[in-house]
């Protein structure tokens, strides 16, 4: 702790963040082992973030500090934290979760599906907090403009792993004995699902866990995070020479499990109305969220669905996940036939199956081979190549080689599996992915209660480990949700969520 007097003059920087993002082992040893970055960043976050301060005096410093906290957190370090340290940290970052609507969550306003924007709309408002800051650094002899990574994602991840570490040591309440022991007992009692059993609660409390940021992967696995930083900082930019693949095709395909944080409704509303109320006073209830996702691609021989405009004309309908209202979906063996009543036109979305040699149907594969036009690119991407530094550090070229995939648009569908649906409730999911930055927006819809649906907005966080020919595995989805019933110009009922791919899916996706 002797280094803490330096906290008042030394700030987290984009250079430290990039060193961990581009780490192949040596950077980590320098920052973690030699410079003792984990202990230093604990002090930075604890001292510069305060639960009594609703607005940040140095948002760039705090965002980078919380991201460094997440990237240097390991199971061993978090487990070893004393109760005082862990409580101080969680109290410092809880405002970014409870009042996440005040802080950056996305790289560009979520009210827009079509980007780039006109320059006068560069600071257009969104419903997921303000846009991230842009910073400029000298890195490896180059002057780079970077988007400061959105604060709320790192805050959620840092909070969740510490909450889970606390759960490891805390016994369940004795009230659990009132629940049926197993699902079979619940059925014998004629309990109507969704209904919890002791088995369900124990599994969630002790075994549903978030993966830590892992350093034993090569930096190429983190390229999409790099491309968002260097290519997604100016929503009006027409040319983005450093922009590469921000969403590898097939990333979401598979089974996902995690937790969603639901605040006490009335306390949440009071805290929205009165910013003097400390964020730590807003209790958060955890619920398990588990689902299976599929990807459906509009290929080059079809015309994608339009994203309907908002009523005020400023952007597209984010409250319906940028999808047409009242659209009709017919599921077929190889994809979705989607009818848009506003245009009277049907669009075909081919289901993407990454575990096959050809991820599309034979007919789609043949049509794709005749010609390719797309906004999306396949995962085969070369490393960014930088020319030798010149006398003028600004005179350089970077380029990324990308292979067109033929994908023009991506729609995601999902549903709760039977085991988790019986316990926590059945939901269906539908969403869309914004090609500009890979932002994913879902609607979570309960059966027969479409008016109670909520919107989930998420960034795909750093992959932890593993890679197959087609898609990243062990990816973390982290984001924010809010209800869709509240007026779009008001702060709604909202919170955060974190999902991880399940191990059995990760193993299966490694098969060619």
């Amino acid at each position: 702790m002797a280094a803490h007097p330096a906290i008042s003059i030394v700030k987290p920087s984009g250079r430290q963040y990039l060193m961990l993002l581009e780490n192949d082992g040596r950077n980590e040893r320098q920052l973690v082992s030699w410079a003792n970055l984990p202990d230093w960043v604990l002090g930075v976050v604890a001292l510069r973030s305060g639960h009594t301060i609703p607005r940040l005096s140095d948002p760039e410093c705090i965002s980078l500090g919380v991201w460094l906290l997440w990237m240097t957190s390991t199971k061993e370090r978090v487990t070893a934290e004393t109760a005082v340290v862990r409580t101080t940290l969680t109290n410092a970052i809880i405002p970014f979760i409870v009042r996440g609507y005040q802080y950056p969550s996305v790289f560009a306003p979520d009210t827009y599906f079509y980007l780039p924007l006109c320059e006068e709309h560069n600071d257009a408002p969104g419903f997921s907090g303000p846009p991230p800051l842009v910073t400029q650094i000298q890195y490896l002899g180059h002057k780079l403009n970077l988007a400061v990574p959105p604060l709320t994602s790192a805050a959620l991840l840092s909070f969740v792993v510490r909450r889970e570490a606390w759960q490891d040591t805390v016994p369940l309440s004795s009230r659990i004995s009132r629940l049926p022991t197993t699902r079979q007992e619940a059925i014998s009692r004629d309990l109507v699902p969704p209904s919890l059993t002791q088995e369900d609660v124990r599994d969630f409390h002790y075994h549903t866990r978030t993966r830590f940021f892992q350093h034993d992967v090569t930096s190429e696995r983190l390229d999409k995070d790099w491309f968002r930083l260097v290519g997604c900082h100016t929503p009006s930019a027409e040319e983005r020479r450093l922009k590469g693949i921000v969403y590898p095709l097939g990333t979401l395909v598979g089974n996902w499990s995690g937790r969603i944080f639901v605040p006490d409704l009335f306390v949440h509303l009071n805290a929205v109305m009165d910013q003097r109320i400390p964020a730590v006073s807003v209790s958060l209830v955890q619920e398990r969220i588990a689902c299976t996702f599929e990807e459906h691609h509009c290929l080059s021989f079809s015309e994608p669905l339009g994203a309907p405009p908002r009523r005020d004309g400023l952007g597209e309908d984010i409250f319906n996940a940028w999808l047409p209202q009242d659209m009709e979906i017919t599921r077929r063996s190889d994809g979705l036939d989607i009818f848009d009543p506003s245009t009277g036109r049907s669009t075909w979305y081919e289901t993407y199956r990454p575990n096959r040699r050809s991820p599309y149907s034979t007919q789609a594969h043949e049509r794709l081979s005749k010609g390719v036009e797309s906004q999306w690119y396949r995962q085969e991407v070369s490393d960014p190549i930088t020319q030798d530094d010149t006398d003028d550090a600004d005179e350089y070229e970077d380029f990324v080689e990308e292979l067109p995939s033929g994908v023009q648009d991506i729609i995601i569908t999902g549903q709760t599996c039977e085991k988790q649906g019986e316990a926590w409730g059945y939901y269906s999911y539908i969403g869309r992915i914004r090609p500009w930055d890979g932002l994913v927006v879902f609607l979570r819809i309960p059966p027969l209660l479409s008016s109670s649906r909520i919107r989930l907005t998420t960034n795909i966080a750093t992959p932890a480990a593993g890679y197959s020919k087609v898609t990243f595995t062990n990816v973390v989805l982290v984001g924010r949700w809010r209800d869709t019933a509240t007026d779009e110009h008001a702060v709604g009922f909202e919170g955060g969520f974190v999902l991880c791919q399940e191990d059995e899916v990760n193993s299966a996706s490694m098969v060619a």
Side-chain angles (χ1 to χ4, degrees):
M1 303 298 286
H4 283 183
I7 290 173
S8 61
I9 58 174
V10 179
K11 298 181 180 181
S13 71
R15 187 174 292 104
Q16 296 162 337
Y17 177 79
L18 290 183
M19 286 180 69
L20 287 178
L21 201 62
E22 294 203 314
N23 169 55
D24 284 323
R26 191 175 302 172
N27 288 351
E28 180 191 5
R29 288 192 295 272
Q30 290 179 341
L31 289 173
V32 175
S33 301
W34 183 79
N36 199 21
L37 181 63
D39 286 348
W40 177 79
V41 80
L42 286 178
V44 170
V45 174
L47 295 180
R48 288 189 178 273
S49 310
H51 65 273
T52 59
I53 305 175
R55 301 287 179 180
L56 299 181
S57 58
D58 193 344
E60 178 181 335
C61 168
I62 294 302
S63 182
L64 290 170
V66 177
W67 270 103
L68 291 174
L69 174 66
W70 162 243
M71 296 169 81
T72 57
S73 294
T74 64
K75 183 175 179 59
E76 294 72 24
R77 291 192 189 107
V78 171
T79 302
E81 289 173 356
T82 66
V84 172
V85 169
R86 187 177 298 162
T87 300
T88 302
L89 278 175
T90 54
N91 285 348
I93 59 182
I94 196 75
F96 312 135
I97 301 169
V98 170
R99 291 193 168 104
Y101 51 85
Q102 293 181 343
Y103 306 105
S105 296
V106 294
F107 285 91
D110 56 7
T111 45
Y112 290 87
F113 178 74
Y114 298 113
L115 295 167
L117 302 176
C118 298
E119 193 164 343
E120 57 267 26
H121 292 159
N122 224 20
D123 297 321
F127 298 125
S128 294
L133 300 171
V134 180
T135 189
Q136 188 175 84
I137 68 168
Q138 287 287 137
Y139 188 68
L140 299 179
H142 295 170
K143 186 183 294 182
L144 292 176
N145 290 322
L146 299 175
V148 176
L151 170 58
T152 59
S153 296
L156 270 166
L157 290 166
S158 299
F159 175 79
V160 166
V161 294
R162 285 165 175 82
R163 182 69 172 261
E164 292 171 352
W166 174 79
Q167 288 180 193
D168 287 338
T169 63
V170 175
L172 288 166
S173 168
S174 60
R175 289 180 297 177
I176 190 177
S177 61
R178 303 174 187 173
L179 299 175
T181 305
T182 63
R183 180 59 47 196
Q184 288 72 23
E185 184 180 339
I187 294 173
S188 68
R189 291 192 195 178
D190 294 326
L191 296 179
V192 178
S195 59
L196 291 173
T197 67
Q198 295 180 37
E199 188 177 54
D200 297 323
V201 174
R202 285 196 176 92
D203 183 50
F204 179 51
H205 188 84
Y206 291 117
H207 302 297
T208 301
R209 292 295 178 261
T210 303
R211 291 183 181 86
F212 286 85
F213 182 91
Q214 292 190 6
H215 301 277
D216 56 351
V217 296
T218 59
S219 60
E220 288 83 358
R221 309 282 177 85
L222 312 180
D223 276 350
K224 60 182 172 51
D225 301 273
W226 162 262
F227 290 136
R228 288 198 193 100
L229 293 179
V230 297
C232 300
H233 51 73
T234 307
S236 63
E238 293 285 346
E239 180 181 350
R240 297 187 289 164
R241 59 184 177 182
L242 292 181
K243 187 246 182 190
I245 293 174
V246 292
Y247 180 85
L249 300 181
T251 296
L252 285 176
V253 176
N255 298 328
W256 296 78
S257 181
R259 63 191 68 235
I260 185 169
F261 291 95
V262 183
D264 179 282
L265 175 60
F266 296 106
V267 179
H268 167 77
L269 294 178
N270 287 336
V272 170
M273 300 298 294
D274 186 353
Q275 293 293 308
R276 296 170 300 176
I277 296 177
V280 293
S281 67
V282 181
S283 60
L284 297 175
V285 174
Q286 300 181 80
E287 296 179 9
R288 183 164 185 174
I289 181 171
C291 49
T292 300
F293 288 134
E294 288 186 316
E295 279 188 25
H296 311 278
H297 298 169
C298 179
L299 301 176
S300 56
F301 47 79
S302 299
E303 184 177 347
L305 291 169
R310 292 176 56 206
R311 295 176 183 175
D312 58 10
L314 297 177
E316 286 69 54
D317 187 5
I318 181 65
F319 272 36
N320 204 52
W322 303 313
L323 291 167
Q325 294 281 349
D326 302 320
M327 63 182 186
E328 300 172 11
I329 300 177
T330 303
R331 181 178 290 273
R332 307 196 188 281
S333 59
D334 293 324
L336 305 178
D337 189 11
I338 304 179
F339 176 73
D340 181 358
S342 67
T343 63
R345 180 173 56 84
S346 292
T347 300
W348 176 253
Y349 280 76
E350 187 83 9
T351 299
Y352 185 78
R353 296 182 172 89
N355 58 333
R356 295 182 180 179
R357 178 169 296 181
S358 175
Y360 302 119
S361 65
T362 302
Q363 181 182 13
H365 180 73
E366 291 174 351
R367 296 184 70 179
L368 267 179
S369 63
K370 297 178 181 178
V372 172
E373 295 179 2
S374 68
Q375 291 200 64
W376 298 89
Y377 294 86
R378 290 187 293 177
Q379 183 55 40
E380 292 89 339
V381 55
S382 67
D383 295 337
I385 299 175
T386 306
Q387 295 182 350
D388 292 338
D389 291 345
T390 63
D391 292 337
D392 185 344
D394 292 336
E395 294 180 6
Y396 69 93
E397 293 184 12
D398 289 331
F399 66 90
V400 180
E401 294 181 0
E402 300 172 331
L403 299 178
S405 63
V407 177
Q408 298 190 92
D409 188 27
I410 301 177
I411 284 178
I412 306 296
T413 60
Q415 61 183 4
T416 308
C417 65
E418 181 178 1
K419 179 180 179 181
Q420 303 307 332
E422 293 289 295
W424 304 93
Y426 286 97
Y427 296 92
S428 60
Y429 298 81
I430 188 164
R432 202 169 194 177
I433 302 178
R434 184 166 65 183
W436 189 81
D437 57 354
L439 181 67
V440 187
V441 176
F442 299 103
L443 292 176
R444 186 176 82 153
I445 308 171
L448 306 178
L449 291 172
S450 58
S451 62
S452 301
R453 63 190 181 183
I454 64 172
R455 189 192 83 231
L456 301 96
T457 306
T458 179
N459 291 298
I460 299 176
T462 308
Y467 180 75
S468 69
K469 287 185 177 179
V470 183
T471 180
F472 282 103
T473 58
N474 290 358
V475 181
V476 178
L477 288 178
V478 55
R480 295 190 58 77
W481 63 268
R482 68 158 285 170
D483 74 291
T484 58
T486 306
D487 182 82
E488 61 182 28
H489 297 292
V491 176
F493 186 44
E494 61 178 71
F497 67 95
V498 176
L499 289 169
C500 294
Q501 280 186 319
E502 294 186 345
D503 289 335
E504 58 266 31
V505 179
N506 297 331
S507 300
S509 65
M510 297 295 289
V511 179

